[in-house]
Amino acid sequence: MTAPLPVRPPEPPAENVPEPSGGLPPTRLLAPLRETGKLFALAAAVTRAIFRRPFQVREFIEQFWFVASVTILPAALVSIPFGAVIALQVGSLTEQLGAQSFTGGASVLAVIQQASPLIVALLIAGAGGSAICADLGSRKIREELDAMEVMGVSPIQRLVVPRVLAMMLVAVLLNGLVSVVGTLGGYFFNVIMQDGTPGAYLASFSALAQLPDLYVSEFKALIFGFIAGVVAAYRGLHPRGGPKGVGDAVNQSVVITFMLLFFVNMVLTTIYLQIVPAKGS
């Protein structure tokens, strides 16, 4: 008779085996990096598709009109209190320092360089970006985008590129409106409520401001519009969980855009202050 084969002891269950990196599987650890890579890949694909033909002119005009219609009035209304708060705060500080003559220049520079691009970007991301994300997400769960790919039509060139370009153009144009309205609001509150003189307000602005300040403001608005459009399109193209996932994707797109905008604004401001010298220095 042959001897019985030795019986191996049972292996411990999988849940009792310690996992690396603090209990998280490697796939979950790499998920944020994977999502970031997909976002950058979409941004690169959109940039390449901008220069391809045919260009969807009708879709671009429709999206431009929609984004502009939902952001012009809120941007104008929000820029007034922003300009007023900046003018009042800067005026109070300059009064304590004995430099009331520089109130106008300091407040206007703060509005043009910082407040105006951020106001435009936040409104575009909150109003236009959320609508774009919901539209693309609903198309995705209805499998319209898959049908377009089967027919040989690129959803990025057909749907994403016109929306991103529309948000960029609206951001640039809206930035000029917000700058003007915010400056007028700061002028009114400084002259009326803080007993400032119109001549000193305008003279300090011409003494401190320079043309590159307007250039960097418009460039920020252009970059912010691109970021808001790409993030909204990315989350709309990758919803999870059906209709509920579309709503979650809209919320995520707004939050992610806000975080990226503040970080990019800090980087651009730092580079600008290092490259462009202050006026009179």
Side-chain angles (χ1 to χ4, degrees):
M1 295 181 60
T2 59
L5 298 175
V7 179
R8 298 179 59 183
E11 297 182 356
E15 58 270 12
N16 294 333
V17 178
E19 295 177 341
S21 303
L24 293 177
T27 55
R28 292 186 61 184
L29 289 175
L30 298 178
L33 295 178
R34 188 178 297 110
E35 294 293 327
T36 304
K38 291 180 180 179
L39 179 61
F40 278 95
L42 178 61
V46 170
T47 304
R48 291 193 302 267
I50 290 176
F51 305 99
R52 294 178 182 174
R53 297 295 180 268
F55 181 74
Q56 306 298 326
V57 180
R58 182 176 180 180
E59 187 77 17
F60 169 75
I61 295 175
E62 292 178 354
Q63 295 302 319
F64 173 83
W65 176 250
F66 168 74
V67 177
S69 63
V70 299
T71 54
I72 289 178
L73 183 59
L77 295 178
V78 169
S79 61
I80 296 176
F82 256 92
V85 169
I86 292 175
L88 294 175
Q89 187 66 40
V90 172
S92 176
L93 180 61
T94 54
E95 185 178 358
Q96 296 177 14
L97 299 176
Q100 296 91 335
S101 59
F102 294 101
T103 301
S107 59
V108 171
L109 286 178
V111 170
I112 293 178
Q113 285 192 18
Q114 303 298 329
S116 178
L118 286 177
I119 291 173
V120 171
L122 296 182
L123 288 175
I124 284 183
S130 59
I132 289 175
C133 181
D135 177 45
L136 293 177
S138 62
R139 291 172 183 262
K140 180 66 176 180
I141 63 175
R142 293 197 302 264
E143 299 182 351
E144 293 183 14
L145 303 183
D146 297 334
M148 293 177 62
E149 293 180 351
V150 171
M151 293 186 295
V153 179
S154 173
I156 294 178
Q157 186 176 4
R158 177 64 178 81
L159 300 175
V160 177
V161 170
R163 286 162 170 78
V164 173
L165 289 179
M167 295 188 70
M168 294 171 65
L169 183 58
V170 172
V172 172
L173 299 179
L174 203 61
N175 183 67
L177 173 66
V178 173
S179 299
V180 172
V181 176
T183 301
L184 293 178
Y187 173 85
F188 175 81
F189 279 89
N190 178 257
V191 173
I192 300 300
M193 300 188 62
Q194 293 183 321
D195 298 328
T197 59
Y201 192 94
L202 298 177
S204 63
F205 170 65
S206 61
L208 295 178
Q210 52 185 338
L211 201 55
D213 297 329
L214 180 61
Y215 293 160
V216 72
S217 178
E218 294 291 353
F219 180 73
K220 283 183 178 181
L222 184 70
I223 297 299
F224 293 167
F226 178 79
I227 293 175
V230 170
V231 173
Y234 174 75
R235 294 307 306 148
L237 294 175
H238 301 86
R240 298 175 182 175
K244 182 180 180 300
V246 175
D248 295 338
V250 171
N251 297 331
Q252 293 173 6
S253 68
V254 175
V255 174
I256 294 173
T257 303
F258 285 5
M259 296 174 60
L260 289 177
L261 290 180
F262 284 107
F263 176 75
V264 174
N265 180 65
M266 179 194 68
V267 174
L268 292 179
T269 302
T270 304
I271 295 175
Y272 172 75
L273 294 178
Q274 294 294 327
I275 294 177
V276 180
K279 190 173 182 179
S281 61

